[in-house]
Amino acid sequence: VTDAHQGDINCVAFNPADENIFATGSGDKTVALWDMRKLTRPKHILAGHTDEVYMVEWAPFNESVLASCSADRRVAVWDLSKIGAKQSAEDAEDGPPELLFLHGGHTSKVSDFSWNGKDNWTLS
């Protein structure tokens, strides 16, 4: 894929439930969702970080949930099943509908994390 992102690609993760879907995290502050059957452009861009994305990982308990971490000191949890969902104006202020949670309590960049395979919704 040429020009997949506007910055370096720092990470890639294939969806464990669908061999055609993968996500990339980039120096351009975004996570891109891709379909191997059509690599001409991303299926969707997840924008919520304010610095380069270091890692993406799919949740082991739900094929539509993905997390990302960034030099912006935050970990984002995304639910791709909510892409395009309607939002109130108040909810839209917090980000796109697919952004479930944005943890910002770290004091330095977050370069790695892992989902707990035995306890849904737990990652560290």
Side-chain angles (χ1 to χ4, degrees):
V1 178
T2 306
D3 300 323
H5 282 272
Q6 294 180 10
D8 293 336
I9 295 175
N10 296 329
C11 55
V12 61
F14 279 89
N15 185 308
D18 186 338
E19 69 274 7
N20 292 306
I21 305 299
F22 67 98
T24 54
S26 173
D28 67 7
K29 308 174 191 175
T30 67
V31 174
L33 304 174
W34 299 89
D35 188 325
M36 292 281 291
R37 296 163 293 196
K38 187 175 181 181
L39 292 173
T40 54
R41 62 188 170 114
K43 286 179 55 102
H44 191 74
I45 300 290
L46 302 173
H49 287 291
T50 59
D51 206 338
E52 66 180 298
V53 176
Y54 287 133
M55 185 178 172
V56 293
E57 187 177 341
W58 297 92
F61 61 90
N62 188 320
E63 66 187 62
S64 71
V65 175
L66 176 76
S68 57
C69 66
S70 169
D72 66 5
R73 304 180 327 215
R74 300 186 296 176
V75 175
V77 178
W78 310 88
D79 183 350
L80 309 184
S81 70
K82 296 187 181 293
I83 291 173
K86 292 185 180 184
Q87 288 182 290
S88 68
E90 183 179 345
D91 286 343
E93 291 176 12
D94 294 331
E98 61 270 21
L99 181 59
L100 291 183
F101 181 74
L102 194 57
H103 174 67
H106 299 279
T107 58
S108 187
K109 66 183 179 182
V110 183
S111 58
D112 193 19
F113 66 91
S114 180
W115 287 99
N116 183 321
K118 302 286 184 185
D119 188 11
N120 295 350
W121 297 107
T122 301
L123 57 99
S124 64

